[in-house]
């Protein structure tokens, strides 16, 4: 299993949002009756709505769109002066697992993250969660959300997709999911939601976070302008700030179980270069895009179970499910995205990767 652990100026449109215990759609006949009564939770501010209307397959967001607020730690530059004292040994053990994995079309479809944009005119689905007792999953169990018809999850065993519900301001992450368009039910195992225009954390005590995957448009444009999720073969068996309160530790690298020698859930890894340094390299634009992102925003260690380390990418199902071309092909990108040799001219990944010192979760 590739993902064996899960971490954690626009015009505003006034839309009806459900709050407290009134979480059923305006027309109950559109949705099945739930026997569950969700707990009351605060209603977030609505996400910024583009002037040209709500996002959808017919109005896909441009490069200026990203999840979370502009001030979120995941959208602001890292303070790279604060390096973990055990950075060098943690990077050596990471590199010993092999070079970064090549991302083929199969890998993107199987283990990538598709995301979909829901509008008021989309039908209403009930969320039914099974297989977890986590509070952040229970709070969305039995809720109703808009969802476009025809959603496809990633094709691997994790069955992931993300739903940007533009009528309530949340982005929902579903794992081990199945969407029943006939019954209008989203079935999922482990799931959570985050404010789309929020800080990128659930709250100060719970771990879920939703890092935006690398998008094909970003690769073609030459810059990934947000933190991305990082997958490792195995981890220390511990979690560190900002995941220090997380019960998710990941699969440990037996017999090594030491956070001073192995990466832990919550570590942030970055490339110790400037954007100008990356731009000067004689490498393809998509490799520069990834390196610039890692140089400015880094990658959060939030997943494990891959054969060697890699990053999180958008899955093409969010376009192909609606009859659109594969967005990687449409962007003119190669079928296989390989970054293994991206830093060969400057000493390789081992010479340029560093681990950021753990930092307190922003309030």
């Amino acid at each position: 299993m590739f993902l064996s652990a899960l971490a954690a100026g626009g015009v505003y449109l006034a839309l009806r949002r459900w709050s407290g215990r009134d979480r059923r759609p305006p027309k109950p006949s559109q949705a099945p009756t739930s026997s569950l009564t969700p707990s009351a939770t605060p209603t977030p501010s609505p996400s910024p709505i583009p002037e040209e209307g709500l996002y959808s397959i017919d109005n896909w967001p441009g490069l200026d769109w990203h999840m979370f607020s502009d001030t979120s730690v995941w959208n602001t530059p890292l303070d790279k002066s604060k390096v973990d004292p055990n950075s060098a040994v943690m990077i050596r053990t990471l590199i010993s697992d092999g070079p970064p994995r090549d991302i083929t079309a199969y890998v993107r479809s199987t283990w990538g993250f598709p995301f979909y944009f829901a509008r008021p005119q989309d039908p209403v689905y009930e969320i039914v969660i099974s297989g977890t007792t986590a509070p952040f999953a229970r709070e969305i169990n039995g809720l109703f959300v808009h969802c476009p018809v025809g959603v496809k999850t990633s094709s691997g065993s994790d069955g992931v997709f993300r739903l940007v519900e533009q009528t309530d301001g949340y982005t929902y992450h579903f794992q081990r999911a199945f969407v029943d368009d006939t019954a209008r039910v989203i079935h999922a195992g482990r799931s959570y939601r985050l404010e789309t225009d929020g800080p990128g954390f659930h709250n100060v005590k719970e771990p879920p976070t939703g890092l935006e995957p690398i998008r094909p448009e970003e690769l073609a444009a030459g810059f990934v302008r947000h933190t991305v999720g990082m997958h490792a073969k195995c981890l220390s068996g511990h979690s560190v700030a900002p995941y220090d309160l997380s019960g998710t530790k990941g699969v440990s690298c037996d017999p090594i179980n030491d956070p001073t020698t192995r990466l832990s859930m919550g570590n942030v890894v970055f490339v110790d270069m400037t954007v100008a340094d990356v731009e000067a390299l004689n490498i393809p634009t998509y490799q520069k895009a990834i390196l610039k992102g890692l140089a400015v925003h880094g990658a959060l260690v939030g997943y494990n179970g891959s054969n060697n380390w890699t990053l999180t990418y958008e899955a093409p199902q969010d376009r192909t499910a609606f009859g659109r071309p594969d967005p990687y092909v449409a962007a003119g990108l190669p079928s296989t995205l390989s970054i293994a040799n991206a830093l060969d001219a400057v000493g390789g990944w081992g010479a340029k990767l560093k681990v950021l010192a753990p930092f307190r979760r922003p309030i």
Side-chain angles (χ1 to χ4, degrees):
M1 174 188 277
F2 190 55
L3 302 179
S4 63
L6 177 66
V11 176
Y12 281 75
L13 183 64
L15 298 171
R16 184 183 188 278
R17 288 171 285 142
W18 308 321
S19 61
R21 295 182 181 274
D22 179 20
R23 293 187 177 272
R24 296 186 181 276
K27 298 180 180 179
S29 61
Q30 289 181 280
T33 300
S34 172
S35 61
L36 301 171
T37 302
S39 58
T41 53
T43 301
S45 300
S47 301
I49 303 301
E51 292 186 14
E52 65 272 18
L54 293 172
Y55 293 126
S56 69
I57 188 62
D58 297 316
N59 181 34
W60 204 255
L63 291 171
D64 57 340
W65 180 84
H66 50 67
M67 285 179 61
F68 314 129
S69 66
D70 290 340
T71 57
S72 167
V73 66
W74 309 128
N75 291 323
T76 53
L78 302 173
D79 180 357
K80 297 194 293 185
S81 68
K82 298 178 179 179
V83 177
D84 192 289
N86 299 300
S87 173
V89 65
M90 286 191 282
I91 294 301
R92 281 200 300 272
T93 55
L94 174 70
I95 298 301
S96 71
D97 292 331
R101 183 176 186 174
D102 285 352
I103 304 300
T104 63
Y106 170 80
V107 170
R108 292 192 292 271
S109 295
T110 306
W111 306 113
F113 287 9
F115 55 92
Y116 302 88
F117 296 91
R119 304 166 298 167
Q121 57 264 50
D122 290 318
V124 173
Y125 288 67
E126 183 183 13
I127 299 173
V128 176
I129 307 297
S130 62
T132 182
T133 59
F136 50 81
R138 291 202 307 268
E139 76 176 4
I140 66 173
N141 190 27
L143 299 191
F144 293 88
V145 292
H146 294 90
C147 182
V149 176
V151 160
K152 301 294 183 184
T153 70
S154 59
S155 58
S157 58
D158 290 293
V160 171
F161 81 96
R162 285 184 176 166
L163 179 70
V164 183
E165 233 289 32
Q166 296 172 99
T167 70
D168 71 3
Y170 284 111
T171 290
Y172 295 77
H173 178 98
F174 297 106
Q175 186 178 3
R176 300 194 301 276
F178 166 71
V179 181
D180 187 333
D181 288 324
T182 302
R184 297 287 195 256
V185 176
I186 299 172
H187 297 275
R190 185 179 175 89
S191 300
Y192 60 88
R193 67 177 182 179
L194 296 169
E195 291 183 42
T196 304
D197 194 40
F201 292 100
H202 186 269
N203 60 39
V204 295
K205 292 184 178 180
E206 294 182 348
T209 184
L211 296 177
E212 187 179 349
I214 295 173
R215 301 166 61 196
E217 291 85 355
E218 295 171 325
L219 296 175
F223 208 142
V224 175
R225 298 182 182 273
H226 52 84
T227 306
V228 299
M230 184 174 184
H231 312 253
K233 180 178 181 180
C234 53
L235 301 171
S236 72
H238 300 263
S239 57
V240 299
Y243 273 13
D244 49 321
L245 300 178
S246 173
T248 301
K249 313 297 183 184
V251 176
S252 61
C253 305
D254 294 332
I256 300 171
N257 189 21
D258 185 349
T260 67
T261 61
R262 279 282 182 176
L263 289 170
S264 299
M265 196 72 72
N267 276 136
V268 173
V269 176
F270 66 91
V271 167
D272 191 18
M273 297 176 70
T274 67
V275 170
D277 292 336
V278 173
E279 193 58 49
L281 296 175
N282 184 24
I283 56 176
T285 298
Y286 77 85
Q287 291 186 355
K288 289 183 179 181
I290 295 169
L291 290 184
K292 289 175 189 176
L294 294 179
V296 176
H297 299 286
L300 173 72
V301 179
Y303 313 95
N304 64 235
S306 57
N307 293 328
N308 41 5
W309 70 274
T310 188
L311 305 172
T312 302
Y313 293 80
E314 179 185 339
Q317 284 93 329
D318 52 21
R319 323 291 179 89
T320 59
F322 302 107
R324 305 301 168 89
D326 183 308
Y328 291 87
V329 175
L333 295 164
S335 177
T336 297
L337 303 172
S338 178
I339 59 172
N341 65 342
L343 290 173
D344 284 355
V346 288
W349 289 97
K352 293 299 180 181
L353 282 183
K354 290 187 178 180
V355 182
L356 196 71
F359 58 92
R360 183 178 179 181
R361 178 175 300 197
I363 301 300

